[in-house]
Amino acid sequence: MLTAVALAARGLGGGDVLRLCTPLHTRYEERWTHAVGWFTTIAPLTLDITGVRGIEDGVRGAREAFRAARALAEVPFAQVLPALGGVFRRTRDDVFMVSYVDYRRLPGSEHHRAARAHHISSVTTADDAQFWFSRTHEGLFLRSRFPATPAAGAVVTGFADAVGETLARP
């Protein structure tokens, strides 16, 4: 998914390097295996797709970028921002984020459709784009949050279409 996002962004004029944040789980200790709740953090991720022509071509680089992000996730985000000092200034409340969850891994997932299970998240205003990809036994889905402006709607719709087209290519 990360490679598809980067290729779609490049195809729309975004360049070869895509910087974003991604949520990661923090359930590394066995005592949390069966706990219920959000055990997550956010990690910065940089994808460099210079010379990449397709998804298969970019998977290795995306895996390496994800591993690097995972290592960075061990440092709490609240400590990272002040440590950057003047190098990074937040000008928005949100961050550009891409998330992926495979619901097929959950126990009983084959019964989710019959149970009419669905993802629920908060409704809020946004000042940046955020994307949640989810895979179920029925397919791959995309949810997004972005500023409620005509320009943002057009850009996000074009981006979502470009990601879909990238994923559909052989």
Side-chain angles (χ1 to χ4, degrees):
M1 291 310 307
L2 291 171
T3 303
V5 165
L7 288 168
R10 181 177 69 188
L12 295 170
D16 287 327
V17 177
L18 180 66
R19 291 178 176 86
L20 55 94
C21 288
T22 189
L24 299 166
H25 78 84
T26 60
R27 293 175 189 249
Y28 299 112
E29 297 177 38
E30 190 172 330
R31 66 184 174 140
W32 303 120
T33 301
H34 300 290
V36 175
W38 288 102
F39 289 71
T40 61
T41 188
I42 296 175
L45 191 142
T46 301
L47 290 165
D48 185 343
I49 57 166
T50 303
V52 171
R53 295 178 311 278
I55 291 176
E56 276 189 44
D57 197 24
V59 168
R60 180 179 298 169
R63 283 187 183 139
E64 290 171 8
F66 189 79
R67 281 190 202 105
R70 209 198 248 133
L72 292 172
E74 294 180 18
V75 179
F77 205 62
Q79 290 178 353
V80 172
L81 288 178
L84 293 172
V87 175
F88 179 81
R89 286 183 300 132
R90 282 189 74 169
T91 58
R92 299 178 173 187
D93 291 325
D94 293 331
V95 293
F96 175 54
M97 183 197 73
V98 176
S99 172
Y100 174 84
V101 64
D102 191 338
Y103 285 110
R104 299 173 303 173
R105 294 179 163 203
L106 294 175
S109 64
E110 64 276 6
H111 305 294
H112 285 171
R113 186 171 186 171
R116 296 180 51 200
H118 58 279
H119 186 107
I120 299 173
S121 62
S122 66
V123 175
T124 184
T125 58
D127 60 10
D128 210 328
Q130 299 178 340
F131 300 93
W132 293 269
F133 291 92
S134 59
R135 183 171 294 283
T136 70
H137 293 286
E138 286 71 43
L140 181 66
F141 301 89
L142 173 61
R143 221 171 33 85
S144 62
R145 180 168 42 213
F146 53 89
T149 66
V155 168
V156 170
T157 298
F159 176 72
D161 289 345
V163 170
E165 291 166 10
T166 300
L167 290 169
R169 281 190 210 124

